[in-house]
Amino acid sequence: MPPKKNNRAGPVLRKRPTQQAEPTGSHKLEADATQKATVKSQATPRTSRSSKPGAGHAYGVSEQERNEDEEKYAKHLVNNYTHRGIDRLLDFAQPAATAGQEAAQNDDFISDAMERILTGKKLPNGSGLDRRLLMPLARGIGKWAKVKSSIKSEKPLYGYFSDFVLFVAQCLKSVAAGNNTHIARLVLPAERTDFKPDDSNDSRRIDVGLAERDIGDSVKLVSLNSYADMLCIAEAKHSRALDKNALVQLFLYSANLYARQANRRYLWGLTICADEVYACMMLNDGLFISPAMRISELAGRKTLISWLVRWSMCPDDRLGYDPTIHRVIGQSDADVGGNNNGDDIDDIMYTIDCYDDKSKKTTTYITNRTIMSADDMLGRHTRCFVATRCSDFDTESSGEEVVIKDAWPPAKYPPLKDPRDEIKLLRKIHDTFKKGTPDHIYPDMIVGGHVRLNPKDKSAIDTTDAIFNAAGIDRIDPPSDSDVRSTWNQQPLRAHRRIVMSPVGHSLKKVQNEAELIIVLVEAMQCYSSVLGRCGVLHRDISANNILVVRDGEDTIPRGLLIDFDFAIKVDTQERSARPARSGTMPYMSIANILNLDTPRTALDDWESLLYVVCWLATVGISSDHRVPDAELAEMPIRQWRTGTTKMIANAKRTHMHTGDIFQSNIVKEFCAQYKLLPRFAKALHKALFGNENCPGAHLDDVDDEESSDDDDEDSGDKPTDSPNDPLVKRGAHVDEILANLDKVLDKFKRKALAALTV
């Protein structure tokens, strides 16, 4: 029989099938999060990578620093990405067209019942409602209706809100009894309030969690212990004046829903500020807030009823779920969120339908583990899974392990013809290398396509437009002028893309020593050069996360795999350069990239990023045995590469890279003492990049122009004026010469690393 599937956050679970135990194969990918760049106004490049909030073990980032960054980031979201008072927000949760009238009737029916009980009137004959069940709930609602702009403590609000939700659910259950309705689920509150979910990786406590249950279940407070099982979160404050604080906390906590639910396309949430309730919709590029629902007023109570009714009646995709990713009903409660440290995200299995744009066929895979979660509120929401192909009639897997990447990158209209589509670039790499297999390994795409939510209509792809169109609203492209504040429906177009590829690798943390690290980095850059030279694809995001370790066996020499062509673009194989644009990952971005200098981006920007990868790993330690204490790391000059404004970061790198002596005294000197090859490797890369006699150094000759006030607005939209004396501009005329020297560095140190492994 077909595998049992469920889109809901909290399915009825059965024991995990034994055949889906941890695989014994040696090819594994354990992706690690990159650091979230510290947010100062909008100083972080809009197209740069930001980290996963749940990444407590990101390279060189302490838990305290991570929490502080998250707090700043959430405040940044509230100040810059929220759109308030959106009257049409409820349209995004509308049920199917045939159920619209029924939803409105349910609104009226439940509102009338609530007002009758609150005012001591009888329920109408034949209503089917049990007054004895509703009266205890109405008491809490009545107390809430008497609250004005503030209350002494927020804690009573937890119970008032829960009573309101239960009242609506009880009425809907009565409506559904014996009738053919479109009510799809019950929305119920958790029995625990002000609690830390079991699968949390921090100490934060949520106020109220909502879950969905089958319409046949009892109406009661439900056991809800993990983010994995939540529909949404409600955050409460004792005063209307604290609405921004409530939003900050809601965004912080909701990021964990993305982390623990791989089948979420977008999120809903609620804030409760004394007697005012706001519904929140969280998309990739915007956070939408409804008008206030004032519970002390009849209209406000009825509007909140409407929200709960629509969440109970709408299709799963309008709750933000992805109908092509199904949570497998095959796990015990202990399997879900049972770990203690919150870092293991391999505990939930999914079946994933992967559509290929070229063959127009769908292949279903079952995940063995989730290896990268999308727990940032904005952006691409990239997720990665290790999976195997499903057999036709069961959840048994078959074949070799593969990696599935699911993401929402920016797209041009129409998405299927977007020249920057990663699927097109990987297909180009596949077709090119199939004709002449290189010595290095490379990401080989097996399936690549845009997600189709409706299997009967394969022309309809999942995009930002699809989300807006389902609500009957037109999305509009944002204004080209970055200084102009966009309206709420002016949102960038994103396309939901899914790629299946091999081989499967490990994080760089899995190298056993510095020699293995050098071999892996060298092979990854050899792949980089082949992809650029033979395919005309410029990667533009060399980082510690995008280079993986692949082994053919336990004691074999590792190989390096370059992945993630999200920011890659097609370039001329002769010119091999791209127009200026910020892209990449802090703290690995090149200086020209950080400053967005008006000079073409070339391979040298990516090679510069490689140098920063080497320096960062050699400083913080390539394994837990070598890890530098946070207190020591905080005092090192390299920390300036990830904190402050973009100008501050770029100026720090200019200083540290300017001469070999400065590089040695500020950066190399701080490498872990046990490393012998890495300091020499770093200095050789530095000499090739910054020691060319035709364009030496990294500082402008006229430094004062570049080092003007660091408090300048980083994202004013003005490009820095390039100086002809800037060595970063000068080196554009010597790319081939510098690349040839870099290739010599790779060959030399790969030989040294291989020799070190044989000793």
Side-chain angles (χ1 to χ4, degrees):
M1 61 183 296
K4 292 186 178 181
K5 301 177 181 179
N6 200 304
N7 269 6
R8 299 187 180 177
V12 178
L13 303 175
R14 58 177 169 78
K15 188 175 181 181
R16 182 195 297 235
T18 56
Q19 66 266 27
Q20 297 302 329
E22 179 72 11
T24 57
S26 63
H27 288 178
K28 298 181 180 180
L29 168 64
E30 298 177 3
D32 179 62
T34 55
Q35 291 77 18
K36 183 187 295 293
T38 301
V39 175
K40 178 179 179 181
S41 181
Q42 291 187 354
T44 303
R46 290 192 181 96
T47 53
S48 67
R49 296 284 196 205
S50 54
S51 78
K52 306 185 322 177
H57 300 293
Y59 291 111
V61 181
S62 68
E63 182 176 354
Q64 178 181 352
E65 185 179 21
R66 184 197 73 199
N67 290 339
E68 290 172 354
D69 282 357
E70 289 172 7
E71 293 278 356
K72 292 177 183 177
Y73 181 58
K75 292 176 182 177
H76 173 69
L77 296 182
V78 172
N79 292 330
N80 295 281
Y81 289 91
T82 54
H83 300 269
R84 295 173 176 268
I86 301 173
D87 292 320
R88 295 199 61 185
L89 193 59
L90 187 60
D91 291 345
F92 286 94
Q94 289 292 351
T98 54
Q101 184 176 356
E102 180 187 333
Q105 292 172 347
N106 288 337
D107 294 346
D108 294 338
F109 174 73
I110 297 171
S111 178
D112 178 69
M114 184 177 289
E115 298 311 311
R116 283 176 179 271
I117 295 180
L118 289 177
T119 56
K121 297 179 181 178
K122 291 183 178 180
L123 294 172
N125 294 330
S127 67
L129 298 174
D130 189 334
R131 190 180 184 91
R132 292 171 302 174
L133 296 176
L134 297 177
M135 274 298 297
L137 304 174
R139 293 190 189 101
I141 299 171
K143 293 178 181 178
W144 194 10
K146 294 177 182 178
V147 172
K148 298 302 180 183
S149 61
S150 65
I151 189 174
K152 288 184 178 180
S153 170
E154 69 183 44
K155 292 189 180 297
L157 298 173
Y158 308 160
Y160 300 162
F161 172 71
S162 296
D163 287 344
F164 198 107
V165 175
L166 289 170
F167 189 103
V168 174
Q170 189 65 59
C171 292
L172 288 174
K173 188 171 179 66
S174 298
V175 170
N179 295 309
N180 183 19
T181 73
H182 290 86
I183 300 172
R185 64 190 70 82
L186 295 174
V187 175
L188 300 173
E191 59 185 358
R192 297 168 65 196
T193 58
D194 187 26
F195 71 101
K196 177 182 179 297
D198 295 343
D199 55 355
S200 175
N201 53 15
D202 55 45
S203 58
R204 298 186 179 104
R205 305 168 70 86
I206 68 168
D207 291 340
V208 183
L210 295 183
E212 50 175 324
R213 294 292 185 265
D214 291 337
I215 190 64
D217 287 359
S218 300
V219 176
K220 62 180 182 179
L221 298 172
V222 297
S223 176
L224 185 60
N225 300 314
S226 67
Y227 286 115
D229 295 332
M230 291 182 195
L231 169 62
C232 66
I233 295 167
E235 180 59 30
K237 294 296 177 187
H238 72 274
S239 170
R240 293 179 190 171
L242 297 176
D243 62 317
K244 288 184 69 173
N245 301 63
L247 283 174
V248 167
Q249 290 188 274
L250 177 66
F251 297 158
L252 277 172
Y253 305 156
S254 294
N256 290 289
L257 297 185
Y258 277 130
R260 297 295 171 179
Q261 298 180 30
N263 56 347
R264 291 308 284 264
R265 299 157 65 229
Y266 57 85
L267 299 175
W268 293 101
L270 294 164
T271 59
I272 305 163
C273 302
D275 67 325
E276 290 185 345
V277 180
Y278 297 86
C280 310
M281 183 184 186
M282 294 162 257
L283 282 177
N284 303 76
D285 297 285
L287 308 164
F288 306 150
I289 316 299
S290 73
M293 295 171 268
R294 193 161 288 178
I295 303 304
S296 56
E297 300 173 1
L298 170 60
R301 293 193 290 274
K302 186 171 183 181
T303 304
L304 181 55
I305 288 170
S306 296
W307 275 100
L308 294 169
V309 167
R310 276 144 190 80
W311 283 346
S312 302
M313 297 182 65
C314 68
D316 282 333
D317 64 287
R318 297 192 190 182
L319 286 178
Y321 290 110
D322 183 342
T324 68
I325 300 181
H326 308 275
R327 181 166 161 180
V328 175
I329 306 176
Q331 298 159 286
S332 68
D333 290 330
D335 287 325
V336 180
N339 59 80
N340 294 322
N341 60 20
D343 294 326
D344 182 8
I345 53 174
D346 301 343
D347 47 11
I348 301 177
M349 295 162 52
Y350 300 90
T351 59
I352 303 180
D353 298 330
C354 300
Y355 179 84
D356 187 77
D357 287 340
K358 186 175 182 180
S359 68
K360 303 190 185 307
K361 294 180 179 179
T362 298
T363 305
T364 301
Y365 293 83
I366 186 164
T367 64
N368 298 325
R369 56 199 178 277
T370 303
I371 51 177
M372 178 176 285
S373 59
D375 46 2
D376 201 347
M377 289 302 297
L378 299 181
R380 298 165 186 253
H381 292 165
T382 301
R383 299 175 170 96
C384 292
F385 313 85
V386 171
T388 44
R389 185 170 177 172
C390 268
S391 62
D392 293 335
F393 301 105
D394 204 349
T395 56
E396 287 190 30
S397 61
S398 60
E400 296 293 325
E401 283 192 331
V402 296
V403 173
I404 300 175
K405 177 182 178 181
D406 183 273
W408 286 77
K412 293 184 178 180
Y413 188 84
L416 289 174
K417 295 184 178 180
D418 185 351
R420 290 178 55 178
D421 179 358
E422 185 181 14
I423 297 168
K424 285 186 172 64
L425 299 179
L426 288 177
R427 185 161 281 129
K428 171 68 174 177
I429 294 170
H430 171 86
D431 293 345
T432 300
F433 288 166
K434 187 176 180 181
K435 298 174 184 176
T437 305
D439 294 333
H440 56 76
I441 56 176
Y442 62 93
D444 190 16
M445 188 175 72
I446 302 167
V447 175
H450 292 72
V451 173
R452 269 70 171 176
L453 296 185
N454 184 356
K456 295 181 180 179
D457 182 10
K458 293 184 178 180
S459 64
I461 65 176
D462 194 17
T463 63
T464 317
D465 279 339
I467 295 172
F468 275 81
N469 291 342
I473 299 170
D474 291 331
R475 180 199 64 84
I476 303 172
D477 287 331
S480 56
D481 186 348
S482 60
D483 290 333
V484 177
R485 171 79 172 181
S486 62
T487 60
W488 73 274
N489 63 329
Q490 288 181 311
Q491 296 294 314
L493 176 64
R494 289 182 180 269
H496 191 182
R497 293 169 179 154
R498 192 167 293 156
I499 298 168
V500 182
M501 53 192 161
S502 68
V504 180
H506 300 268
S507 149
L508 287 178
K509 291 181 179 180
K510 291 299 180 179
V511 297
Q512 298 175 7
N513 51 57
E514 60 173 334
E516 286 197 347
L517 176 63
I518 289 173
I519 290 170
V520 168
L521 295 178
V522 167
E523 287 215 354
M525 293 309 291
Q526 288 173 336
C527 174
Y528 170 90
S529 297
S530 289
V531 168
L532 178 58
R534 295 181 58 186
C535 308
V537 175
L538 187 64
H539 190 278
R540 302 199 310 162
D541 189 19
I542 299 298
S543 72
N545 269 7
N546 291 342
I547 298 175
L548 302 179
V549 185
V550 176
R551 294 184 190 272
D552 293 326
E554 288 295 326
D555 299 321
T556 59
I557 294 174
R559 310 202 67 184
L561 175 66
L562 180 65
I563 62 166
D564 198 349
F565 286 74
D566 256 352
F567 285 133
I569 57 173
K570 192 80 170 64
V571 296
D572 185 273
T573 55
Q574 299 300 318
E575 294 293 333
R576 294 183 295 180
S577 64
R579 64 180 178 82
R582 277 179 181 158
S583 64
T585 305
M586 289 289 188
Y588 313 118
M589 291 170 65
S590 71
I591 299 168
N593 205 354
I594 296 172
L595 289 173
N596 204 17
L597 293 181
D598 193 14
T599 188
R601 300 292 180 265
T602 70
L604 297 185
D605 289 282
D606 283 336
W607 281 93
E608 187 179 330
S609 293
L610 174 70
L611 173 58
Y612 299 143
V613 170
V614 173
C615 293
W616 197 266
L617 295 180
T619 302
V620 304
I622 60 177
S623 69
S624 57
D625 294 337
H626 303 161
R627 196 71 68 219
V628 176
D630 295 333
E632 291 184 23
L633 194 59
E635 302 299 321
M636 295 179 181
I638 200 171
R639 298 296 292 167
Q640 299 172 37
W641 296 4
R642 73 169 303 274
T643 58
T645 66
T646 53
K647 185 176 290 185
M648 292 166 63
I649 294 171
N651 284 344
K653 286 186 173 181
R654 277 196 188 271
T655 298
H656 297 155
M657 297 295 126
H658 191 51
T659 69
D661 290 342
I662 296 174
F663 180 59
Q664 167 66 36
S665 60
N666 282 270
I667 303 300
V668 179
K669 184 183 71 173
E670 305 291 354
F671 285 7
C672 295
Q674 53 267 66
Y675 300 151
K676 305 304 179 186
L677 271 179
L678 281 174
R680 294 159 61 191
F681 186 43
K683 287 190 286 187
L685 290 172
H686 174 270
K687 182 177 180 180
L689 283 163
F690 296 100
N692 186 286
E693 61 181 10
N694 297 304
C695 49
H699 258 310
L700 288 163
D701 289 343
D702 186 5
V703 176
D704 291 337
D705 290 343
E706 180 61 27
E707 293 187 340
S708 58
S709 172
D710 286 328
D711 295 326
D712 293 345
D713 181 7
E714 293 295 324
D715 286 315
S716 62
D718 297 328
K719 284 187 180 295
T721 302
D722 292 349
S723 166
N725 295 321
D726 190 339
L728 302 180
V729 176
K730 288 181 179 179
R731 76 181 185 184
H734 306 281
V735 173
D736 290 340
E737 177 187 349
I738 296 173
L739 287 178
N741 289 332
L742 287 165
D743 286 337
K744 293 176 182 177
V745 171
L746 291 194
D747 292 341
K748 175 181 178 180
F749 279 88
K750 185 175 182 180
R751 290 195 303 271
K752 288 181 177 294
L754 288 170
L757 291 180
T758 60
V759 174

